[in-house]
Amino acid sequence: SPFFWLTLPFPTEAIPYLIAPLLVLKFATAAFTSCLYIRRFVKEDSTAVLGSLLYAFSGYMIYNVFFNHFLEVVAFFPLLLVALEELMVNNRRGVFALAVAFNAIVNYWFFIGEVVFVVLYVFLRMTDRSWGMTVKRFCAVALESVLGLCLAMVVLLPSVLAIMGNPRTTDRKS
């Protein structure tokens, strides 16, 4: 978690006092990243701000305030959508691969759900002819997805190996 790294300069005794500022930062990050995404589709900036506040203070975010690692996924997920739109609309290459890698590293378990949502998003956006989905662009999205996953393997591979090496994952005695 990028937020974890912010706690390293502080002694262990200070961590409970850092929880509230970190929660504020997570909510602010969720609002900021969602505003980046929403303002692509609305005329007024105030509408994007309102939408981002609704996103940041959604029931999911408020309910899961006790599970800090759940909030990070919501905070950084809009970066995937912004990067995908940048690739499709502005032909900005490499940004989507970096967003995929970053989101996979932040929380690999929730990343599976993010992938499902992005796949659904792509298929729904493909119905809009102005989005310009072609076979070549679809291959570019697929290639950047794979590249992002390969970049994330620096963190994902040791995690997978640690989980696979854990005897509790294969022990059927229960």
Side-chain angles (χ1 to χ4, degrees), residues 2 16 32 48 61 85 89:
F32 175 73
M61 290 284 280
E85 289 291 329
V89 176

Side-chain angles (χ1 to χ4, degrees), residues 20 24-25 35 39 53 62-63 75 80 95-96 99-100 103 108 115 118 128-129 136 145 157 167-168:
V24 169
L25 187 58
C35 189
R39 77 175 195 196
L53 289 174
I62 301 300
Y63 181 78
L80 270 177
V95 179
F96 185 63
V100 167
N103 276 277
Y108 63 86
V115 167
V118 169
D128 182 7
R129 298 276 181 203
K136 183 179 176 183
S145 299
L157 191 59
R168 292 181 291 172

Side-chain angles (χ1 to χ4, degrees), residues 94 96-105 111 141-154 156:
F96 185 63
L98 292 174
V100 167
F102 181 70
N103 276 277
I105 289 170
F111 180 70
V141 170
L143 176 65
E144 289 211 19
S145 299
V146 171
L147 286 175
L149 202 55
C150 289
L151 286 171
M153 280 300 165
V154 172
L156 292 179

Side-chain angles (χ1 to χ4, degrees), residues 45-89:
D45 284 342
S46 60
T47 307
V49 170
L50 177 63
S52 68
L53 289 174
L54 290 171
Y55 178 80
F57 293 101
S58 66
Y60 179 85
M61 290 284 280
I62 301 300
Y63 181 78
N64 287 309
V65 78
F66 297 108
F67 305 104
N68 292 330
H69 56 287
F70 287 17
L71 304 182
E72 295 156 2
V73 177
V74 178
F76 296 119
F77 175 69
L79 294 178
L80 270 177
L81 300 179
V82 169
L84 179 61
E85 289 291 329
E86 283 293 316
L87 177 61
M88 292 302 299
V89 176

